Amino acid sequence: MTAFQDAQATEWRDVAIGEIPEAIVYRDPRGTFTRSVTITFALSVLIMFFVRGKTSVAVPFYGVGVFMPIMIMGLAVRKNILETFTGRTRTWGALGASFAAALAFVIFVGQLVGKWSEGGWAVLVSFTLLAVAAHLMLLSPLGFRNPKQIHRIVRDKARVQGAMASIVEWQSLRMQEYRYDLLIGIARFFELFGVRRPTRYEQPAVAGDYDHALHVDHPEAPSLLEQYLDHPEPKLGGAPKETAPTDEES
C-alpha cells in the first residue's frame, strides 16, 4: 500500500517534468491516480511471479531505493547550507549534511556488494536501465514540456494547487533546462567528429530562483507559469463604447 501511495505521489510529477508520457496522468474524481496504481499493481504481480514469491529478493532494492535518495538529499541540504548560512553554522551544517550523505552512500554501496549474490547485481543493472530509460524519454519529443503543458498537467489534470504545485512547476522548468543542455551537449559532441547540424531546439523558459517560485511569503500567489498562459478577453460587456464629448469638454 505504501508503494501504491508513492506511485500516486510521484507519477504526476514525473509526467510534468517529462519522464513519463502525459497519457499516464489521470486523476479520478474521487482523488486517486488510477492509471499509475493499476500499472504499478500489474508490474508488482509480474515481478512476484518472476522471483517465484521470494520476497527476500526485494531487500537490496529496498536498501538502494531508500538510501540513494537520502544521499542525494544530504548533498542537496549541504548545497543549501553553503549558499544560505555563514560562520560556524555554515561549517557545522555542511559537515553534518556531508556526513549524512557519506553514511547513506556507504549503506547504498554496501547493499549492492553485500547482497551481490542475492540479487545485488540485478539492482545495479535495473537502476542503470531505469536511469538510461528516463533520460531517453526526457530527450525524446515526448519529454518536451512547454509552460502551458506543465500548467495543464499540474493544475488541470493532477488538480494540485498551492506551494506543492509551484514546486513541481519550478522542477519541471528546471528539467527542461537540463534537457536543453543535454541536447546541446550531444550536438557539440557529434561536432567533434564532423557531424554538424543546425540547432533546432528553442531556449526553454527560465525557471528562476527556487524561493521566488515557491511563494513562501504569499502562498496564495498565482502560478509562476501564469505569464505564459493565454487569457481570453471577456465576452460579456466587451470594450466600453466611446461617447461623444459634451459641450464643456469640447
Side-chain angles (χ1 to χ4, degrees):
M1 294 303 298
T2 302
F4 292 148
Q5 292 173 354
D6 291 342
Q8 293 192 81
T10 59
E11 169 261 347
W12 65 273
R13 307 180 192 187
D14 293 338
V15 171
I17 65 178
E19 291 187 347
I20 297 180
E22 186 176 345
I24 301 298
V25 62
Y26 168 74
R27 190 169 188 178
D28 187 89
R30 291 168 291 185
T32 56
F33 294 89
T34 54
R35 293 178 182 174
S36 61
V37 173
T38 302
I39 294 172
T40 304
F41 175 75
L43 290 175
S44 63
V45 171
L46 289 176
I47 292 173
M48 289 307 297
F49 275 110
F50 180 74
V51 300
R52 300 180 181 179
K54 297 178 181 179
T55 55
S56 60
V57 178
V59 173
F61 287 89
Y62 177 81
V64 173
V66 170
F67 289 101
M68 184 178 67
I70 292 177
M71 178 188 68
I72 301 299
M73 286 188 289
L75 295 175
V77 170
R78 178 181 182 275
K79 181 179 180 181
N80 181 69
I81 291 175
L82 292 176
E83 294 178 351
T84 306
F85 297 95
T86 58
R88 290 185 176 181
T89 304
R90 182 176 186 268
T91 302
W92 285 105
L95 286 175
S98 300
F99 175 76
L103 187 61
F105 174 77
V106 171
I107 300 176
F108 160 57
V109 176
Q111 287 289 329
L112 293 177
V113 177
K115 299 287 185 178
W116 188 264
S117 60
E118 301 179 27
W121 63 271
V123 178
L124 183 61
V125 172
S126 61
F127 269 73
T128 303
L129 291 177
L130 286 174
V132 173
H135 278 79
L136 291 177
M137 176 64 197
L138 182 65
L139 293 174
S140 72
L142 293 176
F144 173 76
R145 298 284 186 269
N146 59 39
K148 294 180 181 178
Q149 288 176 294
I150 297 172
H151 187 274
R152 182 180 68 249
I153 292 170
V154 174
R155 305 280 178 165
D156 298 336
K157 288 192 171 183
R159 303 201 303 275
V160 179
Q161 304 295 328
M164 180 57 66
S166 298
I167 291 174
V168 176
E169 289 173 340
W170 181 84
Q171 290 175 338
S172 302
L173 292 179
R174 288 287 293 172
M175 285 298 291
Q176 291 304 305
E177 292 179 349
Y178 173 66
R179 177 181 185 270
Y180 177 81
D181 292 339
L182 283 180
L183 291 172
I184 295 299
I186 293 173
R188 290 176 178 174
F189 173 77
F190 281 106
E191 285 183 358
L192 298 176
F193 302 94
V195 181
R196 294 181 176 85
R197 300 180 63 183
T199 304
R200 300 176 291 107
Y201 315 112
E202 297 182 1
Q203 186 80 26
V206 179
D209 183 68
Y210 172 79
D211 293 329
H212 173 72
L214 187 57
H215 300 305
V216 177
D217 299 329
H218 303 283
E220 71 283 355
S223 167
L224 74 157
L225 303 178
E226 196 74 21
Q227 56 183 318
Y228 301 102
L229 304 181
D230 297 328
H231 298 284
E233 297 182 358
K235 297 181 179 180
L236 297 178
K241 296 181 179 180
E242 296 183 359
T243 57
T246 60
D247 294 339
E248 294 180 357
E249 294 174 343
S250 59

